[in-house]
Amino acid sequence: MKYLEDMVVGTKASFGSYEVTREEVIDFASKYDPQPFHLDDEAAAQTHFGRISASGWHTCAMTMRMMVENLKDQKHAGLGSPGVDGIRWLKPVYPGDTLRVETVLQDIRPSRSRPEMGSIHSDVTVFNQKDEPVMTWKSVGLMRTRPKG
């Protein structure tokens, strides 16, 4: 089991492979972000996107899926997350793109008020198949500290 004390600032990880499908882009947008350029070819062609693109929120969800898949085979004492900061959608994500994730651990903070836990702060970058960054965010994760005794 990896605890807060086992984490090392500067640790880099690269993982995931998520193929974006047209059906999924339209389904997600229909439910959660029904803007025309996520749903309709003609409407999308009239925008700077040029064609149907994934919602930024869909890109966040696909990224979360890759992060969870990456962690499920590892034994981490994770406690969830209080949120993310600074989401930036840098390039459109299109059906047919394949996404992957890179993280860099930037900071580790033991809790002052809850000695059984702390937080880790990472920079997250999502790339497409051309190795172009399409999204960034700053992740905050909560982790248990090593049990005493």
Side-chain angles (χ1 to χ4, degrees):
M1 180 73 72
K2 271 192 167 181
Y3 294 97
L4 187 73
E5 296 85 352
D6 300 316
M7 305 308 286
V8 177
V9 169
T11 298
K12 295 179 183 180
S14 183
F15 53 87
S17 179
Y18 196 102
E19 187 170 335
V20 182
T21 68
R22 177 181 173 82
E23 295 76 26
E24 188 177 19
V25 167
I26 292 171
D27 183 56
F28 185 96
S30 295
K31 292 177 184 174
Y32 306 111
D33 190 357
Q35 298 183 75
F37 47 83
H38 298 317
L39 297 168
D40 181 81
D41 290 308
E42 288 182 30
Q46 301 304 311
T47 69
H48 66 283
F49 297 116
R51 56 191 167 116
I52 286 179
S53 63
S55 165
W57 299 112
H58 186 191
T59 304
C60 290
M62 292 181 281
T63 301
M64 192 66 214
R65 176 63 186 243
M66 287 184 283
M67 293 177 82
V68 170
E69 288 291 323
N70 180 59
L71 290 175
K72 80 176 186 181
D73 295 329
Q74 302 176 33
K75 300 289 185 185
H76 276 83
L79 297 170
S81 173
V84 298
D85 296 318
I87 296 171
R88 295 288 179 258
W89 296 301
L90 307 172
K91 284 190 170 291
V93 171
Y94 296 109
D97 283 352
T98 300
L99 305 179
R100 67 179 180 83
V101 180
E102 288 185 4
T103 62
V104 179
L105 182 58
Q106 297 293 341
D107 193 23
I108 302 165
R109 299 180 191 169
S111 173
R112 292 182 188 156
S113 62
R114 306 223 15 218
E116 73 278 8
M117 65 189 295
S119 61
I120 58 172
H121 301 251
S122 299
D123 289 339
V124 176
T125 305
V126 181
F127 294 89
N128 65 19
Q129 70 281 357
K130 298 176 186 174
D131 284 329
E132 298 169 327
V134 298
M135 186 181 73
T136 60
W137 76 38
K138 296 191 178 296
S139 172
V140 180
L142 301 176
M143 285 189 82
R144 289 185 195 103
T145 55
R146 189 175 311 287
K148 306 250 188 273

